[in-house]
Amino acid sequence: MSDSELAHDVVSQWNATVAATPERTAIVDDGRDFSYAEVDARARSVTAWLLAAGVRPEDRVVLCAERGFGWLSSVLGILGSGAAFVPVNVHLLHERVAGILARAGARAAVVDDKGARLLTSRVGTMVNLCELREARAAGTATLLAPPRRTLAYVVFTSGSSGSPKGVMIEHAALGNTVREAVRVYGLNALDRVLQFSDLGFDTAFEEIFPVWAIGGAVVVRRPETVSSAAAFWGFCVENAVTVVDLTPAFWQLLVSTAVMDASLIGQVRLVILGGDRLAASSVAAWQASPELAARCRLMTSYGPTEAAIIVTAGPAAPVQGPHGLVHEIPIGEPIGEVDLRVTASTGELHISGVNLARGYLDDPRSTADRFRPNPHGHTGERVYLSGDIARIAPDGRITVHGRLDRQVKIRGYRVDLNEIELELIRLPAVQASAVCAVEDENGAKTLVAFVTGPDPSSATNLNQALRTRLPDYALPDRTIARDRLPLTDRGKIDYTLLVAEAMPGVAAATGSPAQRTVLGIMRELLDRPDLSESDDFFEAGGHSILSMHLVARLADELGVEVDLLRFFLEPTGLGIEAQIKHQKGVVGDGTD
């Protein structure tokens, strides 16, 4: 079925695919293939249960389960009942979930065992997928196509008020994104698309619904898929993956291995990159490999949560300027039924068209602030003020150059620095706070918090308290205690000075050359000049992606292959040195 023949909502698209190809594989989960007919049966069982529980159109239903067949089939079941799904990451902390549920106003929840423990009694009516029997739905429920303007989902994003904001997306917007994704990416029924993204964010939906609309297969990643570049490409080869949708930060970790051996990528023919700035140098390195460029296209996309996942897409191609590569890569062309305008030659990017969200859930003030009457459209049409600073070149190419507000993208997640500051000053030990995002030469960002309070020595323990209030990706990578925060002439916090302070030189390490290299790289990656050999990498602000950076740097600079699993068990400089000694068969201190 061509994209022009696709229905305008995802439920109708699904029903058409099931009718045409019931035996084709719809989901690949942990080595097992599930057909469209099998997924449809499970989805209808969820629909039947929700309807029996009194769920009606426009009701909101929380979906909180592990990544896999259960989650994917349940999202169809919720939509087929006429309700809107509210994805809640099963790995969030209880306090964060409580904040989302308090705002979601959900009628019911679909969970697995882990989701049930997380939600406890916060949602009155819950169905556990582990107990649901497919036979219950046989012949009793169908997935009903929804009206275009009804609610499809609500996704909660970081908010400057200190509370997550629920973005409401209608079926017309989601259906348009699906139709356009099939068209611009050239998806077909033979594609096997990796489901990689966090299910609590809308990027995941781009990896699911367009695939089903054309009869392809969604391949669910396993946890270990992100442990290393070799593990990632190996998983893609093992599962014959043809399309991946990644954040630029993660993709950059994969480039060097693919450039060295293009066969490692297997059948992957398309890499979609979105959610953050894309480094021109990495794209150029990929495309400079004749074999990689011939077998796999790179495409870029752009879109805020408030505009149904994407509003632009196009080839990822570095622009040649008079002095070499232009720093920013164009974000592509507007998709169908979407219009983009910039307020000046360089100014705020405004988005209009069918993809716009209905607004923020139960937040009319924020909705009125960001969604305005469209001065260039018909009466009643709206425009979304994205907050992104963009430029449209004379040839029509659009590039994004930063933010007007204090929102940043950290490893593909949208984070509002104001929200972190508000959570910090709610802690008893903190009197004032300021948070900066510090960017390295590759565009990777880390969060640095500055705090004042009666006990500056307590600054190092603040992250432990914040873990109950913020998701892991929004936790500061480093916290600095100050007697006071610097102010501008107007009496506002001087973030320029703080950013400069947050980028100190790395203190010299002592010991053998290998020891100095190990500790120097760890300090640099964590921006922690005071890090010692015995300090825990993850407690000091590290995370899985930074650990992959660490392993890659050590391979390049010392020629050693650090075992990530062993590093997770002993995540210190001393642990790495022990691995190096073991590899070299050296007794004593011969780590140089």
Side-chain angles (χ1 to χ4, degrees):
M1 182 181 295
S2 69
D3 56 278
S4 61
E5 298 172 326
L6 292 177
H8 289 270
D9 68 89
V10 295
V11 178
S12 297
Q13 292 164 359
W14 170 265
N15 287 337
T17 303
V18 172
T21 58
E23 301 307 316
R24 286 187 64 88
T25 297
I27 298 171
V28 180
D29 182 16
D30 199 21
R32 179 180 170 185
D33 289 5
F34 294 88
S35 71
Y36 276 87
E38 289 177 293
V39 178
D40 191 61
R42 174 59 67 88
R44 288 189 291 110
S45 68
V46 173
T47 295
W49 186 92
L50 292 173
L51 293 176
V55 169
R56 297 293 179 263
E58 291 281 320
D59 282 346
R60 295 178 289 279
V61 175
V62 166
L63 178 52
C64 185
E66 291 278 15
R67 183 193 313 270
F69 168 73
W71 194 102
L72 291 165
S73 55
S74 295
V75 75
L76 283 168
I78 295 171
L79 294 174
S81 73
F85 69 95
V86 182
V88 174
N89 190 320
V90 75
H91 299 291
L92 287 179
L93 293 164
H94 285 269
E95 289 77 4
R96 184 74 173 181
V97 172
I100 292 175
L101 294 180
R103 293 162 180 80
R107 169 66 68 89
V110 179
V111 299
D112 59 8
D113 285 342
K114 184 173 286 188
R117 290 192 295 270
L118 183 62
L119 268 57
T120 59
S121 60
R122 294 182 176 123
V123 177
T125 304
M126 290 196 297
V127 57
N128 192 320
L129 294 170
C130 302
E131 302 169 0
L132 193 65
R133 291 177 300 182
E134 295 179 15
R136 183 175 184 174
T140 65
T142 57
L143 307 185
L144 299 175
R148 285 170 52 85
R149 306 305 307 188
T150 54
L151 200 60
Y153 64 82
V154 179
V155 166
F156 282 84
T157 68
S158 182
S160 58
S161 64
S163 301
K165 293 191 297 186
V167 179
M168 300 184 288
I169 297 294
E170 296 176 340
H171 276 279
L174 177 58
N176 186 62
T177 291
V178 168
R179 290 163 54 88
E180 288 298 294
V182 170
R183 179 184 65 84
V184 298
Y185 299 141
L187 300 178
N188 63 73
L190 298 179
D191 275 322
R192 294 165 65 90
V193 179
L194 181 64
Q195 200 293 290
F196 180 85
S197 299
D198 187 329
L199 291 170
F201 293 88
D202 62 347
T203 303
F205 314 154
E206 186 185 22
E207 301 166 333
I208 298 168
F209 295 118
V211 191
W212 287 340
I214 45 83
V218 175
V219 180
V220 179
R221 75 166 169 90
R222 293 192 291 263
E224 62 270 21
T225 307
V226 299
S227 63
S228 68
F232 178 86
W233 291 125
F235 181 86
C236 291
V237 170
E238 176 188 349
N239 292 276
V241 170
T242 62
V243 179
V244 297
D245 193 336
L246 307 171
T247 62
F250 184 78
W251 173 74
Q252 285 182 189
L253 302 178
L254 310 173
V255 173
S256 60
T257 55
V259 169
M260 288 188 291
D261 183 359
S263 67
L264 290 176
I265 72 172
Q267 298 180 47
V268 174
R269 66 171 186 83
L270 174 63
V271 175
I272 304 165
L273 300 163
D276 208 344
R277 197 185 80 190
L278 184 56
S281 58
S282 295
V283 175
W286 182 284
Q287 295 176 338
S289 166
E291 189 176 355
L292 271 181
R295 67 193 297 168
C296 182
R297 288 191 303 153
L298 298 180
M299 294 192 71
T300 184
S301 65
Y302 162 86
T305 303
E306 289 84 351
I309 314 170
I310 63 168
V311 292
T312 71
V319 180
Q320 291 290 339
H323 305 293
L325 292 177
V326 173
H327 190 56
E328 301 294 345
I329 290 181
I331 59 175
E333 298 180 353
I335 64 173
E337 299 193 55
V338 168
D339 183 55
L340 303 183
R341 293 177 183 267
V342 175
T343 53
S345 58
T346 299
E348 185 175 24
L349 183 64
H350 290 182
I351 304 169
S352 58
V354 71
N355 270 41
L356 292 197
R358 182 183 293 180
Y360 299 110
L361 180 64
D362 295 332
D363 192 349
R365 177 175 295 181
S366 294
T367 299
D369 180 55
R370 305 304 295 179
F371 295 86
R372 307 279 183 84
N374 186 0
H376 307 289
H378 299 295
T379 302
E381 288 186 349
R382 301 172 305 148
V383 62
Y384 172 66
L385 280 57
S386 71
D388 286 321
I389 302 170
R391 179 177 183 271
I392 299 182
D395 60 6
R397 289 180 299 196
I398 306 170
T399 50
V400 175
H401 299 265
R403 293 284 301 178
L404 291 171
D405 56 21
R406 302 197 66 231
Q407 290 185 356
V408 297
K409 283 290 184 72
I410 300 292
R411 297 180 289 278
Y413 298 105
R414 187 165 76 176
V415 174
D416 195 304
L417 302 182
N418 290 332
E419 180 181 4
I420 305 173
E421 292 177 354
L422 286 168
E423 293 296 351
L424 278 166
I425 62 176
R426 288 173 179 168
L427 301 177
V430 178
Q431 291 180 343
S433 67
V435 179
C436 304
V438 180
E439 188 172 297
D440 65 18
E441 66 276 7
N442 294 319
K445 301 184 186 72
T446 57
L447 296 174
V448 181
F450 295 85
V451 297
T452 66
D455 182 15
S457 65
S458 66
T460 56
N461 300 319
L462 294 179
N463 262 21
Q464 193 61 37
L466 284 178
R467 287 183 187 279
T468 64
R469 301 169 180 262
L470 293 170
D472 285 347
Y473 59 80
L475 294 174
D477 299 294
R478 188 160 62 104
T479 302
I480 299 173
R482 282 177 128 265
D483 294 332
R484 62 183 180 85
L485 299 178
L487 303 178
T488 66
D489 292 340
R490 293 189 174 186
K492 297 184 177 182
I493 294 175
D494 192 334
Y495 286 99
T496 302
L497 284 178
L498 291 179
V499 168
E501 183 178 337
M503 302 176 68
V506 178
T510 59
S512 70
Q515 290 171 330
R516 292 195 296 270
T517 299
V518 170
L519 192 55
I521 293 173
M522 293 179 73
R523 286 175 171 178
E524 182 181 349
L525 289 173
L526 296 173
D527 199 8
R528 285 284 304 272
D530 58 338
L531 191 77
S532 74
E533 285 186 308
S534 60
D535 286 338
D536 187 292
F537 180 84
F538 297 104
E539 290 182 358
H543 46 76
S544 58
I545 291 180
L546 273 183
S547 68
M548 291 176 65
H549 271 298
L550 174 62
V551 169
R553 289 279 301 276
L554 290 171
D556 288 341
E557 299 186 28
L558 291 179
V560 295
E561 296 293 335
V562 172
D563 186 320
L564 265 179
L565 293 180
R566 285 187 61 188
F567 178 64
F568 286 152
L569 295 175
E570 191 177 2
T572 65
L574 292 174
I576 292 177
E577 291 162 21
Q579 287 200 46
I580 295 173
K581 288 180 180 180
H582 179 74
Q583 286 187 34
K584 294 187 175 182
V586 176
V587 179
D589 64 348
T591 52
D592 55 341

